[in-house]
Amino acid sequence: MATLNEKKTCSERMENFRRFVWNPETRLFMGRSLINWVWISLYYLAFYVVMTGLFALSIYCLMRTVNPYEPDYQDQLKSPGVTLRPDVYGDRGLRIYYNVSDNKTWEGLVTTLRTFLEAYTPAAQHLNINCTSDTYFFQETFDGPNKTKLSCKFTSDMLQNCSGIADPTFGFPEGKPCFIIKMNRIIKFLPGNGTAPRVDCTYVVGVRGLSLKNLKHCKSYRLAYNCPANKDFLLAAQGDESRPLEVDYYPVNGTFNLHYFPYYGKKAQPSYSNPLVAVKFLNITRNVEVKIVCKIIGAGITFDNVHDPYEGKVEFKLKIED
């Protein structure tokens, strides 16, 4: 018992470990002979070769089923998203405030528009072609360079007074600013059902400072004036009410020409540029925050999704101070 409980010295432990690693008497390496190590190494080599081969084969089969130009599975979007330039996001969405007499408040907005339109210069569009048809541009073959499809040209001069060419300030100092509407891409999406979709911008009148209880005392649900709860003039509505704005659209009528559709994907159309519509607001009331909604009007495009304010439309608030 005393021998079993006897502690080994450090040198004895090192000697035992050395003999475990290599025993000169039995000629075993770590408890196995050379032939055993050869068989074990060959087993694991074959095992990992087979596993690597199966993994490579599964990836190969998967890639053979994937369309390089179009995803097999994609979100079923009802309508494309709509974006605005210049885009200035605040805590409660898009808010664009500036003072016409203070160029520091609008120079950044102008710079954003200039930078955005650099992709629409004639030099940047040199790979695209001039399209004159007003119908969908279907392409069954890859007639572009490097097995790609052709893309129609869209240059900033098509935006006319909002192109930044004749007016580099885009009308901001005059209180008649230009904004650019862009419809996001959806592969093989055909908007309008043969009729070019168009942009329609209105300002929205909502309930301000008026409770539903006090609203019952008003003579009109559409326009509440001189209500007992508030003697000031109130623009109110049971739900929001859209009213027209005095605007100019570029291109004419604010339409997205059909020859920019369908879009075939980034790989098939690497030089594709989204068509744009510029909106120039002419009668924005000064020193008042105005909520503006720009909708895309066309068959197959919805804009009434209350959970997504940017599906088929874009909402923003604009305030021009003097």
Side-chain angles (χ1 to χ4, degrees), residues 34-46:
L34 177 61
I35 190 63
N36 287 337
W37 280 113
V38 170
W39 283 114
I40 290 174
S41 299
L42 290 176
Y43 169 79
Y44 279 105
L45 177 63

Side-chain angles (χ1 to χ4, degrees), residues 39-285:
W39 283 114
I40 290 174
S41 299
L42 290 176
Y43 169 79
Y44 279 105
L45 177 63
F47 174 77
Y48 284 112
V49 166
V50 171
M51 294 299 295
T52 303
L54 291 175
F55 178 75
L57 180 63
S58 62
I59 295 297
Y60 174 78
C61 295
L62 175 64
M63 296 304 295
R64 292 288 294 179
T65 63
V66 173
N67 187 338
Y69 296 99
E70 179 182 354
D72 291 333
Y73 303 100
Q74 53 186 316
D75 293 337
Q76 298 299 314
L77 299 177
K78 293 183 179 180
S79 297
V82 181
T83 58
L84 178 78
R85 294 293 188 283
D87 48 348
V88 181
Y89 287 89
D91 296 335
R92 298 182 179 179
L94 274 169
R95 285 188 174 186
I96 300 174
Y97 295 176
Y98 77 93
N99 192 310
V100 294
S101 58
D102 185 2
N103 60 348
K104 293 182 180 180
T105 62
W106 51 262
E107 279 182 346
L109 303 173
V110 171
T111 300
T112 300
L113 287 176
R114 289 176 183 169
T115 302
F116 176 72
L117 291 177
E118 286 179 357
Y120 292 89
T121 61
Q125 295 283 315
H126 72 282
L127 294 176
N128 297 340
I129 63 173
N130 291 315
C131 299
T132 56
S133 173
D134 292 329
T135 59
Y136 296 120
F137 186 23
F138 293 107
Q139 301 179 71
E140 300 297 333
T141 58
F142 293 85
D143 298 327
N146 301 319
K147 294 184 178 180
T148 60
K149 294 180 183 289
L150 301 173
S151 299
C152 291
K153 184 179 297 185
F154 191 99
T155 53
S156 57
D157 60 280
M158 296 180 181
L159 302 180
Q160 302 176 33
N161 292 341
C162 288
S163 64
I165 299 174
D167 180 11
T169 61
F170 297 93
F172 279 85
E174 293 79 29
K176 299 179 180 180
C178 290
F179 293 88
I180 296 177
I181 307 296
K182 180 173 74 74
M183 187 164 55
N184 293 342
R185 308 173 187 180
I186 298 180
I187 295 178
K188 292 187 177 180
F189 178 63
L190 299 175
N193 193 24
T195 302
R198 62 181 179 87
V199 175
D200 179 58
C201 293
T202 58
Y203 78 94
V204 177
V205 178
V207 178
R208 292 185 180 180
L210 191 61
S211 66
L212 292 177
K213 179 179 179 181
N214 293 326
L215 186 62
K216 296 178 181 179
H217 300 287
C218 299
K219 295 181 179 180
S220 173
Y221 286 104
R222 277 319 208 184
L223 182 64
Y225 175 72
N226 200 23
C227 294
N230 193 335
K231 296 298 182 181
D232 298 329
F233 180 79
L234 294 174
L235 288 176
Q238 190 177 23
D240 290 338
E241 178 184 5
S242 297
R243 299 185 182 181
L245 283 167
E246 185 180 350
V247 298
D248 286 337
Y249 296 103
Y250 307 101
V252 63
N253 298 326
T255 57
F256 296 96
N257 200 299
L258 294 181
H259 60 231
Y260 295 104
F261 306 97
Y263 170 62
Y264 288 100
K266 184 67 176 178
K267 186 177 179 64
Q269 292 180 293
S271 62
Y272 179 88
S273 296
N274 296 63
L276 307 174
V277 169
V279 182
K280 189 177 184 67
F281 296 100
L282 305 177
N283 66 336
I284 299 297
T285 305

